[in-house]
């Protein structure tokens, strides 16, 4: 599975692509940050993020997109910028029919390190080890999102698999809920 992790932000939008399977080895394919000028209006900044994400989707061809959910523990301005940039990532993925999953920072930290309360430095150290890198990557958060998604894939897709498995029986009973 190839996953694009998006750590959204208006000033800096972290992107990381990881290949792997739950319980298997992980490989980083790409990592980087989209930057937008602070003095540009919001529309232009979001357009730059959209163009950058589209370019990443074209070049990396992920099968899924994992986006960090905006946290309410920051200022309203920061949360709004994060949510807006995250919405751009979702829109880009939706154009291609790619599944998108939101993950909180606590979920990401727990999936990557085993502890949802660790700091950025510990996340970076574990991501470095998991991806067998020589130095902490930048942006470690976007790569951690992709790793989280890969590790949680069997759990996060259970409801969809259960519904798909039950659908033929529901259709036979005249109770198809997908319409």
């Amino acid at each position: 599975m190839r996953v694009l992790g998006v750590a959204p932000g208006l000033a800096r939008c972290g992107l990381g692509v990881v290949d792997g399977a739950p319980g298997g080895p992980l490989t980083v394919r790409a990592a980087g940050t989209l930057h937008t000028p602070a003095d540009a209006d919001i529309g232009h900044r979001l357009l730059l993020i959209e163009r950058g994400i589209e370019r990443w989707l074209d070049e990396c061809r992920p099968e899924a997109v994992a986006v960090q959910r905006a946290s309410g523990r920051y200022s309203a301005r920061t949360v709004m910028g994060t949510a807006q940039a995250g919405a751009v990532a979702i829109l880009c993925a939706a154009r291609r029919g790619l599944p998108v999953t939101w993950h909180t920072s606590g979920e990401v930290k727990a999936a990557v390190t085993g502890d949802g309360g660790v700091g950025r430095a510990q996340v970076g150290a574990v991501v470095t080890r998991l991806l067998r890198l020589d130095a902490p990557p930048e942006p470690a958060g976007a790569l951690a999102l992709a790793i989280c998604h890969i590790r949680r894939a069997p759990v996060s897709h259970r409801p969809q698999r259960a519904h798909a498995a039950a659908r033929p029986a529901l259709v036979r009973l005249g109770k198809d809920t997908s319409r």
Side-chain angles (χ1 to χ4, degrees), residues 38 48 73 82-83 88 96 119 142 159:
L48 291 172
R73 64 183 184 171
T82 300
V88 169
R96 296 161 189 266

Side-chain angles (χ1 to χ4, degrees), residues 12 17 31-32 37 51 55 62 86 96 116 131 145-146 175-176 178:
R12 292 178 311 279
V17 179
R51 288 177 182 160
R55 189 173 55 253
R96 296 161 189 266
L131 296 174
L145 274 156
K175 297 180 181 178
D176 184 3
S178 66

Side-chain angles (χ1 to χ4, degrees), residues 97-111:
L98 295 172
V100 177
T101 304
W102 288 88
H103 298 284
T104 66
S105 63
E107 289 171 346
V108 172
K109 292 172 182 180

Side-chain angles (χ1 to χ4, degrees), residues 122-179:
Q122 289 103 329
V123 171
V126 174
V127 167
T128 302
R129 184 177 48 78
L130 290 173
L131 296 174
R132 300 172 308 281
L133 302 172
D134 295 330
E138 223 10 81
L143 293 168
L145 274 156
I147 293 168
C148 171
H149 186 81
I150 291 168
R151 287 188 160 182
R152 293 177 53 109
V155 174
S156 64
H157 291 96
R158 252 186 228 151
Q160 293 94 326
R161 287 195 309 261
H163 181 74
R167 189 170 184 277
L170 292 172
V171 170
R172 285 192 305 273
L173 295 172
K175 297 180 181 178
D176 184 3
T177 59
S178 66
R179 289 183 249 170

Side-chain angles (χ1 to χ4, degrees), residues 3-164:
V3 178
L4 170 63
V6 181
L10 275 180
R12 292 178 311 279
C13 183
L15 302 168
V17 179
V18 175
D19 284 347
L26 301 165
T27 305
V28 63
R29 292 293 173 208
T33 305
L34 301 173
H35 296 273
T36 66
D39 59 349
D41 74 345
I42 183 92
H44 183 69
R45 294 175 87 178
L46 292 172
L47 184 60
L48 291 172
I49 291 168
E50 186 255 353
R51 288 177 182 160
I53 291 172
E54 287 290 347
R55 189 173 55 253
W56 275 69
L57 291 171
D58 285 341
E59 293 172 9
C60 298
R61 304 214 177 272
E63 300 165 60
V65 177
V67 179
Q68 185 163 342
R69 186 182 304 270
S71 173
R73 64 183 184 171
Y74 297 104
S75 71
R77 182 177 174 197
T78 299
V79 170
M80 286 298 295
T82 300
Q84 290 164 334
V88 169
I90 292 167
L91 176 65
C92 292
R95 278 190 194 123
R96 296 161 189 266
L98 295 172
V100 177
T101 304
W102 288 88
H103 298 284
T104 66
S105 63
E107 289 171 346
V108 172
K109 292 172 182 180
V112 172
T113 70
D115 181 353
V118 300
R120 288 184 186 199
Q122 289 103 329
V123 171
V126 174
V127 167
T128 302
R129 184 177 48 78
L130 290 173
L131 296 174
R132 300 172 308 281
L133 302 172
D134 295 330
E138 223 10 81
L143 293 168
L145 274 156
I147 293 168
C148 171
H149 186 81
I150 291 168
R151 287 188 160 182
R152 293 177 53 109
V155 174
S156 64
H157 291 96
R158 252 186 228 151
Q160 293 94 326
R161 287 195 309 261
H163 181 74

